[in-house]
Amino acid sequence: AGRGKRGEREERLGSEHNSHDEAQVGPPLRERRVGAQRRQLTTTTRTTRAGERMPRHGAASAAATTTAWCLAVALALASTTTARAADSDRPYLSREECQTNGEALLGDVTFLLENADAVTCASGAGERCCRALNTYFGPNSTFWGCPCYADLFQEGLMQLPAFARPVVQTRLVDCGIPTLNTGCKAVDVNASAVSKEIVEPNLGQSGTMQQYSAPWSFAMKGYDSYGQWYECIRVESAQYCVSLLLAPGVYSETKWGMCVPEDLDNITINAAIVRTNPQFYALNPPKTFCTYPKTLPDWNPAAIGVTAMLVFFAALTFAATVAGYLMRNVFSGREAGAAAGKVGWVRKALGVLGGMGLCFDLHPNWKGLVKEPRVEEQNREGLEANSVSRYLTIDLRSLNGLRTLSMFWIILGHTGSTIYFNFNLSYFSYWSFNPQNYWWLKDWYFPFYAGVLGVDTFLFISGLLVAYKFSQQMSKRSLSKMSWKREIQFWGMYCVARWLRLLPVLVVVMLTVWKLVGQLLTAPGFHLYWDASYVEPCNKYWWATLLFIQNIYPGGESFGNKGYFCVPVSWYLAVDMQLYVFVAPIVLITYHYGLYAKVFQKAKKYMAGSFIFALLATSIGLTAWIVMEHNVMWQFLGVGDFDRYYIKPWTRAPPYLLGMVLGLLIFELQRKEKCQRLYTIFANVKDWVLVILFLAAFVAFVLLAFTPAFYLQTPKGRLPPLSENSDTGMTEDEAHAYMILRYLGWGLCLLVMFTITCIGRGWLVNDLLAGYFWAPMAKLTYCAYLIAIVIQDVTTQSLINHPVYYNTWTMLSYWVVFVVGGYAVSFVCYMCVEAPFGSMLRNALSAMVPKPPQKGEEGKRTVEAENPAGPGADDERPVDEGDLSPGEAIFSPTREEAEAGEIELGHK
C-alpha cells in the first residue's frame, strides 16, 4: 500500500473484524498459479478493516507507490489502448492462452518500471500511458481480449490492493481497452452473467435509519460511502455497521455504511446482501462488521497515567496561582506577615509551594504572555555630531508577525491535507471515476494553500536570534581569560538548555496523542488511522523523538509523504536542533574568537563569512545531487522526496544560515561605536533604494511560493504527476532547478526584506508586523505547531466520514476553525506547561552556571547573557523580569540594567 504525508498504511488484516485472508477467486486460475516465489510484485489479497480510509495524500502516494502493481496487472489484463482496438477483427485469445501468458508476465515486470511512458499511468491515462499499453498489449499482443473473461478479469484485479482496483479499471476504460463493461465482443466468460438490476437489501430499517445509511446505489457503482455514523448511533435501538463487498461488474471492493436495527447481526446483514444477487455473491460473499462505536472512554493503565499527569499540572497551576495571590496581596507587608505568622500552616504551605512550584502561578505567566513589546530609539550620546546623517532604530518586533503568519500558513496547508487529501483523494473510487474531484489541486493558488515553505521561515528566525543573542554574550567575554573547562561547560549547557527547553511540551503532547487521545474517540476507520499515525510509531521510536534525531533515524519513506517517527510534524524540531547544535556554535566561535587561536583574530570575521559561504555551497551541492540522483520534483504535492530531501538538515540549512547572517549584521549595527563605517552605510541608504530592494525581494518571495502552480498545469482531467515529470507546465530541468534553489531563494528573500524592517526602515511593513497583537500569538507558536495538527486529525477522522468537495469558502472556514481551536488549546499548554517549565529551567541554570570572565568594567555587571539558558531558548520562550533581551540594555548601551522582553517571541 502507498504511504501518505502523515501515515499511509499498508493494508492489513483487522483482527477485531476477522477480515478474510484472501478474496474469493475463480478456481481455474487459482489452480494454475505458478512461480509464486519469482513474482516480486505479487501480494496476497487483503481487505481493509471496516470503514478504513486512506489518510492524508492517500490518492497521490498510494497510486504512485503501487505503480508497479497497477501497471503489471492492468497491462496483463489490457488488450489495447485505443477505441479502434475494440474494433479489431482479430479473435480474442482463449482462456487457456490468457492464463498462461498472464502468469508469464507477472513473473517479470521490471521492463514496465523502466518504461517512462508506462510510469505516467500513475498520474492518468494520457497519451504516453495509452501508448505504453498499446505497445505492450495492443491488438497484436499476447493478451488480446483477456479482460473480457469475467473470472480472469476479477482474479487479476483481486491481486491488487483494494484501493488500486478503481485506478486500474479507470485506466483501461480511458484508454479504450475492451473490458466487461466497455467494448467486449461475445466470449465464453465461463462465469455467471452480471445482473444489471439493482436490488436493495431488505434490512427492516426505519425512515430515519435509511436516511443515515449510505445509498446502496453508490455501493453498486463501486463508490465507498459510509453514511452518517455519528447520527446513527444516537438513534434509539439502532446500530452502525459497515459491509465490505464487491459490486457486480465493478470488481473493486466497496465499503457500504448502514444504520440498521440493533437486533441484526452481521450474518443476517450478509444474508440480506446475498439475496440481492445470489449467483454473484455466492462467489463473492460480503463481510459485515458492527463493532462501532466502542464504549468510551476506553481506559487502560497508560491512559489513566497520562490523565493523572494532566490533572496534576492543572492542580499545581491552581495551587500555585492561589499561593501567588496570597503572597502578593495578603502576606506581602510586615503587618500582614506578622499576622500570617500566627497562622503557621499558611506560611508552611506557601513555603512548600514556593520556589519552583510558584513557576506555575498564572499571574506572572499571563503578564509575560501579554507584555507589550517596546523599542527605544538608538542612544545618540556616544556618537559624534557629524558622524552620521541619520540614526537607525533596531527593531526586531516584526519577527513576531512573521512567525505568527507562518504558523497560520502551516495550519492552512494542513487543513488541505487533513480534509481534501483524506476525504476526497483517498476515496479512490471517487477520484478515479470523477477527475473533477482533484481539479482544485491545479488552481493557481494551491501552492499558497500547501504552505510547504512555512517552516523555512521558522528556521530563518531561529538562526537570526541565535546569532544575535549569543553574539551579545560572547562579545562580553575575554578570550585571554577563557579556559577549556569553562568553554566545554558553557557549550555543553548551551546544548542541554535548548534540549530541556523544548522537552516538556514535546513530552506532554507525545504522551497525550500516544496513550490518551485514541482511547477517547471512535469512528469508522479512526483507530486504524490513529494507530498507524501515532501509536505504532511512538511504540517503536519514542526515544528518537526525544533525542531529536527522528528525521535521521528512523526517517521516512522516500517515495511518499510518511514519516516513521512519533509525532509526525516533529521532524522540523529535529532539523532546528541539529542546526543549532552542530552549525551555529562553529559559526559563532569562528566569528567572535577566531577558533580560539590568536593568529586568526584579525581575520576572524572574514573566516566566519567564508565558512558560512562554504556551508551554503555544500548544502546546495548536496541538494543538487539528491535532486538529480533521485529525480526530485514537485511530486506528492510539494514534498518531493520526503526522506532524502524534505526532512534533512543539509537541504534545509540555507534559511538558517542566512538568518545567522542577519543576526550578526544586526549585532554589528547595534555596536555602532565600533562599526561606524557599516552603521553609516545602512543609515544613509536612500529610501527609494530600499523600496526597490524590498519590492524585488517580495516579488521573488511570491514567485517562489507560486512557481509550482506552473508545474501543476497538467492536461484537463489529469492528476498532477506523482512519480516523474510528465505533461507538466515545467520541463524537467526547470523543475530540478526550482527544487535545488527554493530553500536558498526563500532565505535570501527573507534576508533582504527583514534587514530593512529590522533596522527600522520597513515603514508600513513594520507597522503591520510589529503590532502588539502578534507578540502573544508568536509566543504560542511552539505549542500551536505541535497541537494544531492533532486537533485537525481528531476533528476530521472522528467527524468526517464522507468525501469533501472543494470550494474556497469551505477551505477557509475549516482553516479559521483550526486556527482558533489550535491556538485556544495552545494557550492552555503555554500557561500550564511551557511557561512554568521555562521559568524553572532558567532559575535552575542561573544557580548552576558560574559567570565567565568579562572584559574590563563590564565584568562588574551581572547579566543574564552569562547563562546559556537564555539563548538556549532563544526564540522559544518569553523573557522574564531579569532576562536580557532585545530591550533597553541592548539598544541603549548606557543603561545599566536590561528591562524585560522587548521582543516576546514564542517558539515556532
Side-chain angles (χ1 to χ4, degrees):
R3 309 286 181 174
K5 179 178 179 181
R6 298 203 54 263
E8 300 293 30
R9 294 341 139 239
E10 182 179 4
E11 290 189 299
R12 61 187 182 186
L13 296 174
S15 58
E16 62 184 281
H17 302 302
N18 298 317
S19 297
H20 63 301
D21 294 329
E22 185 169 353
Q24 299 296 321
V25 297
L29 185 54
R30 182 166 59 246
E31 294 170 358
R32 296 180 57 86
R33 284 181 178 167
V34 295
Q37 289 76 16
R38 65 186 176 89
R39 295 194 225 170
Q40 298 298 320
L41 299 178
T42 303
T43 62
T44 58
T45 301
R46 289 167 287 185
T47 59
T48 57
R49 291 168 61 175
E52 175 182 353
R53 292 193 290 264
M54 296 304 296
R56 185 167 307 119
H57 286 199
S61 55
T65 309
T66 58
T67 297
W69 262 110
C70 294
L71 292 176
V73 180
L75 297 178
L77 298 172
S79 61
T80 184
T81 64
T82 61
R84 66 178 180 271
D87 298 329
S88 174
D89 294 333
R90 180 191 174 194
Y92 291 159
L93 299 179
S94 66
R95 296 172 50 77
E96 290 72 17
E97 290 175 312
C98 288
Q99 289 175 326
T100 302
N101 295 342
E103 290 174 352
L105 174 71
L106 290 176
D108 183 12
V109 296
T110 56
F111 71 97
L112 295 175
L113 302 179
E114 297 170 357
N115 187 304
D117 289 343
V119 173
T120 65
C121 291
S123 298
E127 179 181 355
R128 297 179 63 187
C129 172
C130 293
R131 182 168 65 239
L133 294 176
N134 187 53
T135 299
Y136 293 115
F137 304 99
N140 297 321
S141 72
T142 55
F143 299 96
W144 176 239
C146 295
C148 293
Y149 295 98
D151 54 342
L152 301 186
F153 187 51
Q154 177 183 344
E155 165 63 7
L157 284 174
M158 293 304 294
Q159 293 187 59
L160 289 172
F163 58 82
R165 297 168 200 158
V167 182
V168 172
Q169 288 182 288
T170 304
R171 300 295 178 266
L172 299 178
V173 173
D174 291 345
C175 289
I177 298 169
T179 63
L180 288 170
N181 296 325
T182 56
C184 277
K185 295 180 290 187
V187 296
D188 178 16
V189 298
N190 193 30
S192 300
V194 174
S195 174
K196 297 297 183 180
E197 181 181 0
I198 296 179
V199 180
E200 189 166 349
N202 183 2
L203 299 174
Q205 299 162 291
S206 66
T208 301
M209 295 177 186
Q210 290 179 344
Q211 186 175 5
Y212 293 154
S213 298
W216 175 253
S217 60
F218 273 32
M220 290 299 97
K221 294 177 182 179
Y223 298 153
D224 290 346
S225 190
Y226 292 93
Q228 306 298 323
W229 80 271
Y230 184 74
E231 289 78 2
C232 174
I233 63 176
R234 302 179 67 179
V235 176
E236 186 177 358
S237 302
Q239 63 175 335
Y240 178 82
C241 302
V242 174
S243 288
L244 308 180
L245 51 87
L246 292 174
V250 176
Y251 306 107
S252 300
E253 185 180 66
T254 302
K255 303 174 185 69
W256 178 49
M258 72 202 86
C259 187
V260 299
E262 62 182 1
D263 57 351
L264 294 185
D265 57 19
N266 59 333
I267 297 176
T268 305
I269 296 173
N270 288 336
I273 295 174
V274 169
R275 286 194 293 270
T276 63
N277 195 330
Q279 290 180 313
F280 179 81
Y281 286 115
L283 295 175
N284 307 281
K287 291 166 179 61
T288 301
F289 311 101
C290 300
T291 57
Y292 290 106
K294 67 179 182 179
T295 302
L296 296 176
D298 183 16
W299 295 113
N300 57 37
I304 294 173
V306 174
T307 302
M309 176 191 70
L310 299 178
V311 171
F312 171 76
F313 285 148
L316 184 57
T317 300
F318 176 78
T321 303
V322 173
Y325 175 83
L326 294 176
M327 295 177 68
R328 286 187 301 271
N329 299 284
V330 179
F331 304 112
S332 57
R334 291 184 177 180
E335 295 180 359
K342 300 177 181 179
V343 189
W345 66 270
V346 174
R347 182 165 294 279
K348 290 180 180 179
L350 294 178
V352 171
L353 287 173
M356 294 298 183
L358 288 178
C359 291
F360 286 84
D361 186 355
L362 291 177
H363 179 76
N365 292 338
W366 170 256
K367 288 182 63 178
L369 177 65
V370 301
K371 184 176 180 63
E372 182 177 1
R374 295 172 298 170
V375 172
E376 285 191 357
E377 186 178 0
Q378 278 280 17
N379 192 318
R380 304 182 184 183
E381 297 175 358
L383 298 175
E384 296 181 3
N386 298 321
S387 61
V388 293
S389 61
R390 66 193 311 167
Y391 301 94
L392 298 176
T393 298
I394 309 274
D395 184 2
L396 302 185
R397 294 177 302 163
S398 59
L399 299 181
N400 288 326
L402 178 63
R403 185 190 299 280
T404 304
L405 290 177
S406 297
M407 188 66 245
F408 289 174
W409 191 19
I410 291 172
I411 295 176
L412 181 62
H414 289 164
T415 299
S417 61
T418 53
I419 295 179
Y420 296 107
F421 296 150
N422 244 5
F423 299 101
N424 188 313
L425 294 184
S426 64
Y427 281 73
F428 294 92
S429 56
Y430 284 83
W431 70 261
S432 294
F433 296 120
N434 182 8
Q436 290 299 317
N437 284 352
Y438 52 79
W439 70 266
W440 71 279
L441 296 177
K442 296 187 286 185
D443 279 357
W444 66 272
Y445 46 81
F446 169 72
F448 177 76
Y449 281 168
V452 293
L453 294 171
V455 294
D456 297 287
T457 305
F458 287 167
L459 289 172
F460 178 84
I461 297 173
S462 181
L464 187 161
L465 293 176
V466 168
Y468 181 53
K469 289 188 175 182
F470 265 95
S471 292
Q472 291 174 331
Q473 298 175 46
M474 298 172 73
S475 64
K476 300 180 185 299
R477 308 173 75 222
S478 173
L479 181 62
S480 61
K481 297 182 180 179
M482 292 180 184
S483 66
W484 286 111
K485 179 179 179 182
R486 286 181 178 273
E487 287 303 290
I488 292 174
Q489 182 186 41
F490 181 84
W491 292 107
M493 294 307 298
Y494 163 94
C495 299
V496 172
R498 178 62 163 259
W499 182 68
L500 292 177
R501 179 61 197 154
L502 299 180
L503 200 61
V505 172
L506 181 60
V507 169
V508 170
V509 173
M510 184 182 72
L511 291 177
T512 301
V513 300
W514 179 13
K515 298 297 185 180
L516 181 60
V517 174
Q519 310 306 314
L520 302 179
L521 299 166
T522 189
F526 173 80
H527 292 285
L528 180 63
Y529 176 90
W530 199 263
D531 288 350
S533 294
Y534 291 96
V535 177
E536 292 175 1
C538 288
N539 286 340
K540 297 178 181 178
Y541 302 114
W542 59 268
W543 55 271
T545 299
L546 297 185
L547 293 176
F548 296 95
I549 61 171
Q550 64 269 38
N551 63 325
I552 306 296
Y553 181 84
E557 286 195 339
S558 290
F559 201 66
N561 301 341
K562 173 180 167 46
Y564 299 131
F565 39 82
C566 184
V567 188
V569 296
S570 66
W571 66 265
Y572 159 72
L573 300 179
V575 171
D576 188 68
M577 176 67 79
Q578 289 153 13
L579 293 173
Y580 176 88
V581 171
F582 297 107
V583 174
I586 300 176
V587 172
L588 292 173
I589 291 172
T590 304
Y591 187 85
H592 291 284
Y593 303 144
L595 297 177
Y596 298 111
K598 293 182 179 181
V599 68
F600 296 142
Q601 292 305 301
K602 292 184 178 181
K604 59 186 179 183
K605 294 182 180 180
Y606 297 102
M607 289 177 58
S610 300
F611 184 63
I612 292 176
F613 180 82
L615 289 175
L616 285 171
T618 301
S619 175
I620 298 302
L622 286 174
T623 302
W625 180 83
I626 292 170
V627 169
M628 301 298 292
E629 179 71 14
H630 301 287
N631 196 28
V632 177
M633 287 173 284
W634 229 69
Q635 304 104 320
F636 302 101
L637 310 174
V639 171
D641 188 311
F642 184 75
D643 183 58
R644 300 186 184 100
Y645 173 82
Y646 194 73
I647 63 173
K648 291 298 188 283
W650 38 85
T651 59
R652 294 281 191 166
Y656 191 91
L657 291 169
L658 294 172
M660 293 194 70
V661 170
L662 180 54
L664 293 172
L665 174 62
I666 294 174
F667 166 73
E668 293 296 341
L669 292 176
Q670 187 262 333
R671 300 195 310 161
K672 52 186 176 294
E673 295 87 349
K674 297 182 179 180
C675 302
Q676 286 274 353
R677 180 178 299 179
L678 182 66
Y679 188 92
T680 302
I681 292 174
F682 278 87
N684 287 281
V685 177
K686 301 297 184 182
D687 290 345
W688 63 268
V689 174
L690 294 180
V691 170
I692 292 175
L693 287 174
F694 189 94
L695 290 178
F698 182 75
V699 170
F701 186 83
V702 173
L703 287 176
L704 281 170
F706 286 91
T707 295
F710 301 102
Y711 178 84
L712 294 171
Q713 294 308 306
T714 55
K716 185 177 181 180
R718 293 281 307 282
L719 186 69
L722 307 173
S723 55
E724 52 95 51
N725 194 60
S726 61
D727 298 324
T728 66
M730 297 173 65
T731 66
E732 182 174 306
D733 291 339
E734 291 170 343
H736 283 166
Y738 173 80
M739 298 306 284
I740 292 169
L741 298 175
R742 69 171 177 174
Y743 299 134
L744 176 65
W746 193 259
L748 287 172
C749 292
L750 291 172
L751 176 63
V752 174
M753 290 189 294
F754 282 87
T755 297
I756 296 173
T757 61
C758 289
I759 62 174
R761 305 285 297 275
W763 303 289
L764 179 61
V765 176
N766 260 34
D767 293 339
L768 293 175
L769 296 182
Y772 168 70
F773 169 78
W774 304 113
M777 300 292 287
K779 294 176 191 173
L780 300 178
T781 50
Y782 179 32
C783 290
Y785 179 76
L786 294 176
I787 291 174
I789 186 63
V790 177
I791 293 177
Q792 290 171 315
D793 280 341
V794 166
T795 301
T796 55
Q797 293 293 329
S798 63
L799 297 180
I800 302 177
N801 58 321
H802 56 81
V804 179
Y805 301 103
Y806 168 80
N807 66 69
T808 301
W809 299 113
T810 300
M811 176 80 173
L812 296 180
S813 298
Y814 276 111
W815 172 59
V816 171
V817 170
F818 290 144
V819 168
V820 174
Y823 270 87
V825 178
S826 299
F827 169 76
V828 177
C829 173
Y830 175 87
M831 297 295 289
C832 298
V833 180
E834 184 179 2
F837 279 98
S839 298
M840 293 169 62
L841 175 64
R842 290 193 298 274
N843 294 340
L845 292 179
S846 295
M848 292 170 54
V849 179
K851 302 183 182 69
Q854 303 283 316
K855 294 180 181 178
E857 294 299 322
E858 291 179 345
K860 300 177 181 179
R861 295 176 54 191
T862 301
V863 293
E864 184 270 355
E866 299 162 358
N867 188 341
D874 57 281
D875 54 335
E876 303 83 41
R877 64 180 179 87
V879 186
D880 287 345
E881 290 290 330
D883 291 342
L884 183 63
S885 65
E888 295 182 20
I890 293 177
F891 303 130
S892 303
T894 59
R895 293 289 296 267
E896 287 296 320
E897 296 182 359
E899 184 170 321
E902 191 49 67
I903 178 171
E904 302 282 344
L905 293 176
H907 186 272
K908 33 275 179 218

